[in-house]
Amino acid sequence: MTAPNTPDVIVIGAGAAGLFTAIAAGKRGRRVVVVDHAPEAGRKILISGGGRCNFTNVDAQPQRYLSSNPHFCISALRRYTPRDFLDLVERHGIAWHEKKLGQLFCDSSARDILTMLLAEAADARVELRLGCAVGEVERTGDGFVLETAQGQMCAPKLVVATGGLSIPKMGATDFAYRLAKRWGLSIVTPRPGLVPFTFTPQDLARTQGLSGVALDAVVSTSGAKAAAFREALLITHRGLSGPSILQVSSYWQPGQPITVDLTPDLDLAEHLKAAKRARPNAELKTILGDVLPRRFAERLCGDGGTGEVESRPLRDLADKALVDVAARLKRWSVVPAGTEGYRTAEVTVGGVDTNDLSSKTMEAKAVPGLYFVGEAVDVTGWLGGYNFQWAWSSGWVAGQAL
Ligand code: FDA
């Protein structure tokens, strides 16, 4: 019998991707040890989806992922699909529901997903070593040697599943990038993704007192990576958040403006002109308050002296002025000062360069036996269950190759 410190595979990182890789390899008869410095496995799973884990998205198309190589994710997503993961969830009797836009959540608790993964790992005889810091990692002729808090370990295959940089207080580290660089792999510069925007003091003055106001909007960025998302936008005391903002943040580059259509379903110019005919004595802010949150409309119309447009009775406003007002609100623009950073970012955009990995196996092309999976890799999903699906798919394909 082999000593426990010399398994077939060592996986570093007991998050979604590491656990799923270990399960897949374990089911194929590999002896797998998963090492993590955190005291508990899958901590991000537990806090995900507001505690209900948006564990996949039925529409996990490759186009919903950002990567320097947009084709890289295709193979893994085709081979292990949202339906495959849902079958597993159902085999474990976990109740789920589709919330919106193909997003699947647990009915009860994210812990159901973690419990399922741990049961699968136990079934696949995967050994978990938690609270176990990893020190030096060396390559030898026949594999990898790790110095860990629980002694030296070696294995012919090493899987790095240590995730990205988001939420450092939960144990996120740059371990994957450091290791990749050391063995000659490139890194696509990481940056926070799915993250709220912050405002300059001047722009904060424009939205002061509006914290908590939410509206349905189309938010877009232009430039090399143009993108537009229609979902809720939320004004915060630091700037902007809400799903549409988080989505766009993954595409945003510092210094770029974002543009917001505040009335996506409405031809606002026509609406204002019709209102002028029907209610000539009504103030502009009253009419705007019918189609936007009232507090927001009042602020837009000069309340507090920081407004965007002047409120007057509609009869005093020429049609051209109404068209101009509509144009400004259909293309409300702001240049964010920045983002809230890794402290609150749900993901890290960028990571281990996919050009250096096999899309079939996730193995480093130049370092046989070394694999990278999950968020550590330069594949980042939209908000809505896409990132967990990438963790499952990349972990599963790696598991078939180990
Ligand atoms: P993950 O970060 O999960 O795991 C990495 C593991 O490696 C951790 O256990 C860590 O402790 C360990 N580790 C790191 N450095 C180490 C080192 N040096 N030594 C040893 N161990 C180390 N996605 C989605 O699809 N649906 C959702 O509902 C949500 N919700 C959500 C909410 C919040 C608040 C956040 C922050 C993120 C999400 N996400 C999400 C994103 C999702 O959680 C994320 O993409 C996956 O957890 C990535 O899985 P990984 O296993 O790749 O990394």
Side-chain angles (χ1 to χ4, degrees):
M1 197 172 132
T2 318
N5 281 352
T6 58
D8 299 315
V9 182
I10 297 170
V11 178
I12 309 180
L19 288 174
F20 219 63
T21 308
I23 292 164
K27 291 205 160 164
R28 296 181 56 253
R30 304 293 178 267
R31 290 155 309 160
V32 187
V33 173
V34 183
V35 188
D36 198 304
H37 63 180
E40 192 182 6
R43 290 206 291 183
K44 273 195 190 160
I45 296 172
L46 293 178
I47 61 160
S48 67
R52 294 241 163 99
C53 188
N54 179 191
F55 55 79
T56 191
N57 191 298
V58 291
D59 207 13
Q61 307 286 336
Q63 306 86 280
R64 286 162 185 207
Y65 291 84
L66 290 84
S67 173
S68 295
N69 175 2
H71 300 295
F72 182 83
C73 63
I74 294 173
S75 172
L77 291 171
R78 276 206 191 128
R79 286 172 63 207
Y80 192 85
T81 66
R83 183 69 246 178
D84 292 326
F85 192 76
L86 191 55
D87 286 345
L88 181 64
V89 166
E90 290 182 334
R91 278 204 300 282
H92 282 257
I94 298 172
W96 59 273
H97 62 279
E98 182 174 336
K99 204 166 168 189
K100 56 172 182 173
L101 305 171
Q103 302 168 3
L104 306 192
F105 284 77
C106 298
D107 282 0
S108 164
S109 163
R111 189 164 283 282
D112 290 345
I113 297 294
L114 183 57
T115 303
M116 174 188 87
L117 295 174
L118 294 177
E120 288 282 312
D123 194 44
R125 297 175 185 276
V126 171
E127 187 191 334
L128 290 184
R129 295 198 185 175
L130 303 173
C132 179
V134 179
E136 285 301 305
V137 181
E138 297 294 343
R139 273 176 84 193
T140 60
D142 48 7
F144 300 85
V145 179
L146 276 68
E147 300 299 335
T148 79
Q150 295 177 20
Q152 196 178 69
M153 299 169 61
C154 30
K157 307 247 167 122
L158 177 66
V159 182
V160 183
T162 49
L165 298 172
S166 45
I167 322 283
K169 75 167 191 248
M170 294 194 75
T173 69
D174 64 353
F175 184 90
Y177 313 147
R178 276 189 281 123
L179 206 66
K181 271 191 217 159
R182 212 178 103 199
W183 286 324
L185 282 76
S186 302
I187 302 297
V188 176
T189 308
R191 63 176 202 276
L194 301 180
V195 63
F197 285 130
T198 55
F199 275 178
T200 60
Q202 292 87 333
D203 286 323
L204 272 185
R206 285 162 80 189
T207 53
Q208 197 189 3
L210 295 179
S211 171
V213 169
L215 43 95
D216 174 29
V218 175
V219 182
S220 47
T221 53
S222 47
K225 291 187 173 163
F229 293 91
R230 177 172 181 174
E231 274 195 78
L233 171 152
L234 176 71
I235 299 174
T236 72
H237 61 288
R238 291 199 184 86
L240 294 176
S241 188
S244 57
I245 292 293
L246 299 185
Q247 297 281 33
V248 148
S249 73
S250 297
Y251 290 84
W252 179 77
Q253 300 291 334
Q256 269 186 346
I258 57 160
T259 305
V260 183
D261 179 349
L262 293 163
T263 61
D265 283 330
L266 194 64
D267 182 336
L268 188 58
E270 284 309 314
H271 180 80
L272 293 178
K273 284 193 273 180
K276 181 178 160 183
R277 289 193 293 275
R279 299 166 65 190
N281 294 327
E283 286 246 351
L284 177 61
K285 69 178 174 190
T286 311
I287 300 301
L288 288 177
D290 293 341
V291 294
L292 293 168
R294 194 157 296 276
R295 273 202 290 157
F296 188 71
E298 284 172 359
R299 176 53 59 90
L300 283 171
C301 291
D303 178 31
T306 54
E308 314 268 325
V309 293
E310 195 185 347
S311 185
R312 285 198 266 156
L314 293 181
R315 68 178 138 68
D316 294 343
L317 291 164
D319 280 5
K320 172 156 183 336
L322 295 178
V323 170
D324 286 350
V325 167
R328 285 167 74 179
L329 302 188
K330 295 295 270 182
R331 293 191 57 77
W332 190 70
S333 186
V334 63
V335 180
T339 72
E340 290 188 5
Y342 291 117
R343 188 180 60 80
T344 60
E346 282 201 13
V347 287
T348 303
V349 184
V352 178
D353 194 333
T354 54
N355 289 321
D356 293 335
L357 303 176
S358 156
S359 62
K360 306 273 178 301
T361 63
M362 310 302 293
E363 188 174 19
K365 289 176 186 166
V367 188
L370 178 67
Y371 298 72
F372 290 87
V373 293
E375 200 179 311
V377 177
D378 172 35
V379 173
T380 309
W382 285 4
L383 185 77
Y386 299 98
N387 286 296
F388 278 136
Q389 186 57 44
W390 173 245
W392 318 135
S393 296
S394 60
W396 189 87
V397 297
Q400 307 313 302
L402 290 164

